[in-house]
Amino acid sequence: MTDAATLARMIRAGRGLEPADLVIKNVRRLDVITGEITQTDIAIVADRIVGISGIYGSRSEIDGRNRFAVPGFIDTHVHIESSLVTPFEFDRCVLPHGVTTVICDPHEIANVLGAAGIRYFLDCAERTIMDVRINLSSCVPATPFETAGARLEIEDLLPFADHPQVIGLAEMMNFPGVLAGDAGILAKLEAFQHRHLDGHAPLLSGADLNGYLAAGIRTDHEATSAAEAREKLAKGMAILIREGSVSKDLDALAEILDENTSAFVALCTDDRNPLDIAEEGHLDSSIRRLIAHGCPIHHVYRAASLSAARIFGLKDRGHVAPGWRADIALLDSLEECRVSDVIAAGRHVTADIWAARKPVAPVGLDSMKAKPVEPEAFITAPNPDHNEVPVIGVKPGLILTFRENAALASDESGLEPDIDADVIKVAVIERHGINGNIGRSFVKGFGLKRGAIASSVGHDSHNITVVGVTDEDMALAVNRLIEIGGGFAVACEGEILADLALPIAGLMSPEPFEIVTEHLEHLREAAKALDCTLPEPFLQVAFLALPVIPHLKMTDKGLFDVDKFDFV
């Protein structure tokens, strides 16, 4: 809260009667409401902009000459865990890209550790330089069709509801539960009727979409086509254009962002790893690509800031104007969104700012409870009547998967992969120490000719998912993850080619993001050595086990048909 003395100082500084704390001099300010660009100074006191004109003295100055000032960007839906680093390292990685606020759903760690995972994220959110806001995880577990490490009912969420960093209820993935009036789901929706209710409704349309929205749900990041997005916009839903490491919907949705819709459209990444951030950027990448698609420039920046803030009830930010939170990105180019400096809550983001954060102890260091497996664990018995099996079809850039069929040969060790047809094995191993389940099937689209890839990042319950050509390499990769406490591993011909340890809940590394990026580069090269054709194979593996995204998924309990919401 801003006290009376600080308010008085803000007012006096805004009137030019006393120096501001910080002034950005001679900068070109983009008005995201009108699109006007004006040369001006921007005066800041504490965490607030107090004036825009040329009259201000200050204790500190930033030279804005030949640069543009735009509001700091807001990532409206992100799982920080998918960056594979802690919230502190995510802060250090992403804030320099102009992202001053993120709205995080910690349901990845919550599915492993329950309420303790949410508490860890809230403790970190109180100390990051970036403003990390939390939507409380609504679906832990996401469905009853997989084994999670925890369960969160409304009684588990309510103690966090009044935390100052909490906005509302996170993505309501169990849309069949909403439509069926599930008592546990209704209890959560009822408790947050006067807070933000975040949506997750892939391909939902017609009367079922009406029923879902009747629950008070207001946002969706799962639209994958313009037609789907337009129906949801027409029914009052705000659309969050997603561009992550695997889910890449921006090209399909760019056409919906225009002068008429920009107040109801925002941007998000959902899941994005440090290697992609290093190579492409974060929301700055989405902004430059939307502009390249021909979307009006100030409407793109509006969607990335002011619209995002208003959609999620953050009324103090999203505009470079007096009285607004001093979250500002300074750009060398508007069209290319080249960020050269960032001000976060009035603080100039420099190399020494990170040292001011008080550390938070890591959690979930003993969460990998699966027992080592033998190659025989991956034998898939043939059907006595025929060898035709359903196969999960994977396409680059989509977490949607597709149902295909393949006729596979078999021998004394069961059904065999068909390398020529790009059909290999997939398995999910329960890793929370609850039942030891192993689900087995086949997947197409990875291009592997040899070896195996394993991941303990397996949305949403985060069991171990492995794809591979040989049972021996699959077992080797899985056992390596058990040994290092979770992460990624690539195995081939009895050797581990590359790995990354993620010992914090089997999801995050305690290392700096630069080190994680180096490991990801090695992992990517190792995957290519197996002839993998996917640009981001590790998160693609992770999404094979997500039974709330159509159409065919793999869980520790078996192959799952999302359209029927039942096992194959």
Side-chain angles (χ1 to χ4, degrees):
M1 297 292 290
T2 304
D3 59 35
T6 303
L7 280 173
R9 191 160 64 87
M10 289 173 172
I11 294 167
R12 288 182 58 80
R15 298 179 65 202
L17 301 178
E18 67 174 78
D21 294 339
L22 175 65
V23 172
I24 305 169
K25 302 289 290 186
N26 301 311
V27 73
R28 288 175 282 187
R29 166 186 171 268
L30 173 67
D31 186 333
V32 296
I33 296 176
T34 67
E36 184 180 10
I37 297 173
T38 54
Q39 188 92 19
T40 188
D41 293 352
I42 301 171
I44 297 167
V45 171
D47 63 351
R48 189 173 297 180
I49 299 167
V50 298
I52 48 172
S53 74
I55 66 172
Y56 296 109
S58 68
R59 298 174 175 85
S60 179
E61 291 185 358
I62 296 174
D63 184 4
R65 197 181 315 274
N66 298 322
R67 295 197 281 178
F68 298 88
V70 299
F73 312 140
I74 301 173
D75 190 338
T76 54
H77 178 74
V78 63
H79 304 291
I80 289 176
E81 306 97 311
S82 293
S83 71
L84 310 175
V85 294
T86 66
F88 275 22
E89 280 302 298
F90 180 82
D91 186 24
R92 197 171 67 84
C93 179
V94 171
L95 184 55
H97 289 271
V99 182
T100 52
T101 302
V102 299
I103 300 171
C104 169
D105 172 9
H107 80 204
E108 317 302 352
I109 197 169
N111 268 282
V112 179
L113 303 178
I118 295 178
R119 171 54 62 193
Y120 170 71
F121 265 61
L122 287 171
D123 289 346
C124 292
E126 291 175 343
R127 306 180 191 190
T128 51
I129 307 301
M130 172 192 294
D131 191 18
V132 176
R133 296 298 178 106
I134 304 293
N135 274 330
L136 297 175
S137 307
S138 66
C139 297
V140 177
T143 74
F145 305 112
E146 55 185 338
T147 304
R151 175 173 293 276
L152 293 178
E153 304 294 355
I154 186 59
E155 295 80 10
D156 303 302
L157 299 178
L158 287 177
F160 300 115
D162 294 326
H163 191 285
Q165 296 303 114
V166 169
I167 290 178
L169 194 65
E171 53 180 328
M172 180 49 71
M173 295 181 290
N174 189 357
F175 61 84
V178 175
L179 299 179
D182 176 87
I185 296 296
L186 291 179
K188 294 172 183 175
L189 292 170
E190 178 187 10
F192 286 86
Q193 280 294 293
H194 300 294
R195 306 283 289 272
H196 183 82
L197 294 175
D198 203 24
H200 179 287
L203 304 182
L204 202 62
S205 64
D208 282 347
L209 178 60
N210 296 344
Y212 185 74
L213 296 179
I217 295 165
R218 291 287 181 265
T219 47
D220 186 68
H221 59 276
E222 290 294 341
T224 54
S225 71
E228 179 183 358
R230 291 190 191 285
E231 180 186 359
K232 289 174 175 175
L233 282 169
K235 291 181 176 179
M237 216 175 193
I239 294 298
L240 316 180
I241 296 178
R242 173 177 59 186
E243 189 72 3
S245 286
V246 172
S247 306
K248 298 182 181 295
D249 305 315
L250 184 146
D251 289 340
L253 298 182
E255 67 179 76
I256 73 165
L257 178 55
D258 58 29
E259 296 89 343
N260 296 317
T261 63
S262 66
F264 307 97
V265 172
L267 311 182
C268 76
T269 59
D270 203 355
D271 304 276
R272 197 163 180 84
N273 69 44
L275 182 54
D276 284 341
I277 295 169
E279 293 179 344
E280 301 173 8
H282 201 260
L283 287 188
D284 51 330
S285 172
S286 294
I287 290 166
R288 72 177 65 96
R289 288 179 54 202
L290 286 166
I291 292 170
H293 270 284
C295 300
I297 289 180
H298 79 278
H299 288 279
V300 174
Y301 282 101
R302 180 193 293 179
S305 56
L306 182 60
S307 298
R310 292 197 167 192
I311 288 166
F312 284 87
L314 300 173
K315 299 179 180 179
D316 62 342
R317 68 198 69 190
H319 195 26
V320 179
W324 292 73
R325 180 180 165 98
D327 288 343
I328 301 169
L330 297 181
L331 312 179
D332 294 331
S333 166
L334 273 181
E335 290 80 4
E336 298 177 14
C337 193
R338 292 203 308 267
V339 180
S340 55
D341 265 305
V342 179
I343 292 85
R347 295 168 290 184
H348 187 194
V349 177
T350 58
D352 59 353
I353 197 171
W354 315 110
R357 304 172 303 174
K358 296 176 64 176
V360 176
V363 295
L365 298 177
D366 60 349
S367 69
M368 187 58 59
K369 298 174 182 176
K371 295 179 180 179
V373 298
E374 299 294 333
E376 292 76 16
F378 304 109
I379 292 175
T380 304
N383 188 306
D385 300 321
H386 59 84
N387 281 352
E388 186 168 288
V389 296
V391 173
I392 302 171
V394 170
K395 294 183 180 179
L398 289 175
I399 59 174
L400 292 171
T401 52
F402 303 89
R403 180 166 180 159
E404 301 189 27
N405 292 288
L408 300 179
S410 63
D411 57 19
E412 66 278 358
S413 60
L415 290 170
E416 292 296 308
D418 185 343
I419 307 304
D420 292 337
D422 190 20
V423 177
I424 61 175
K425 289 188 173 185
V426 58
V428 177
I429 298 96
E430 187 273 318
R431 64 98 155 178
H432 304 291
I434 295 173
N435 52 39
N437 285 344
I438 301 179
R440 308 165 187 84
S441 190
F442 292 85
V443 65
K444 181 177 182 177
F446 280 84
L448 265 63
K449 299 291 192 295
R450 62 191 70 82
I453 298 172
S455 169
S456 67
V457 179
H459 300 285
D460 285 315
S461 291
H462 299 290
N463 293 301
I464 298 172
T465 305
V466 59
V467 299
V469 175
T470 70
D471 298 341
E472 290 76 15
D473 284 333
M474 292 172 74
L476 181 62
V478 168
N479 291 337
R480 179 58 175 164
L481 296 191
I482 295 170
E483 178 186 352
I484 63 178
F488 301 138
V490 177
C492 186
E493 298 177 354
E495 179 185 356
I496 297 294
L497 301 185
D499 61 20
L500 168 62
L502 301 175
I504 301 175
L507 301 172
M508 294 175 286
S509 169
E511 298 291 338
F513 73 84
E514 295 92 343
I515 300 298
V516 173
T517 299
E518 290 178 10
H519 279 284
L520 290 172
E521 289 173 344
H522 296 153
L523 282 159
R524 182 185 287 178
E525 291 306 311
K528 286 181 180 178
L530 308 184
D531 290 330
C532 182
T533 55
L534 293 174
E536 177 35 74
F538 301 97
L539 282 179
Q540 202 92 50
V541 169
F543 282 111
L544 290 176
L546 183 53
V548 294
I549 296 290
H551 298 276
L552 197 62
K553 299 293 181 182
M554 189 74 238
T555 83
D556 65 295
K557 296 183 178 182
L559 192 62
F560 190 75
D561 186 324
V562 182
D563 300 324
K564 297 179 180 177
F565 229 56
D566 200 0
F567 291 102
V568 173

